[in-house]
């Protein structure tokens, strides 16, 4: 891999799975690949160790190129607001709030 930079989105802890979860963006020569990353670890695990392990896992998935769960887009075509904006569930809940407030009026 040349010219590869990996970024992690917000890391969350899923207590039901006892795992940390995030999406990792691997920027590789002008194309951005996004991978869902899950790491089973105790909630009190070192933040730095969790982040390093997640980055390593994302880069390994990218090197293998066999992940069915990845999306890709040219970096210049992916607005920064989409990469760091509100998550899908926040947008979905906002849509429901809009519907319910409209019907209540």
């Amino acid at each position: 891999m040349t010219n590869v930079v990996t970024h992690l989105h917000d890391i969350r802890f899923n207590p039901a799975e006892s795992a940390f979860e995030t999406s990792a963006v691997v920027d590789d020569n002008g194309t951005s690949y996004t991978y869902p990353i899950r790491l089973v670890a105790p909630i009190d695990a070192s933040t730095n160790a969790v982040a390093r392990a997640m980055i390593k896992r994302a880069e390994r998935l990218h090197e293998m190129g066999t992940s069915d769960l990845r999306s890709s887009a040219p970096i210049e075509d992916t607005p920064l607001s989409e990469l760091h904006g509100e998550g899908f569930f926040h947008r979905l809940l906002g849509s429901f709030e809009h519907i319910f407030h409209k019907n209540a009026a």
Side-chain angles (χ1 to χ4, degrees), residues 5-83:
V5 178
T6 304
H7 305 276
L8 299 177
H9 287 209
D10 292 335
I11 298 173
R12 302 162 301 282
F13 185 76
N14 180 341
E17 300 290 326
S18 296
F20 290 91
E21 300 171 341
T22 191
S23 57
V25 178
V26 178
D27 297 332
D28 186 356
N29 292 316
T31 303
S32 174
Y33 300 89
T34 304
Y35 299 90
I37 304 295
R38 183 175 170 270
L39 179 72
V40 176
I43 193 169
D44 60 350
S46 161
T47 305
N48 290 333
V50 168
R52 282 193 308 270
M54 291 180 135
I55 287 171
K56 187 176 180 178
R57 184 166 292 174
E59 290 176 349
R60 190 170 44 241
L61 286 170
H62 184 69
E63 285 176 6
M64 293 178 358
T66 58
S67 177
D68 291 336
L69 290 174
R70 82 172 183 183
S71 65
S72 63
I75 293 172
E76 60 274 6
D77 291 344
T78 306
L80 191 58
S81 61
E82 284 184 27
L83 293 176

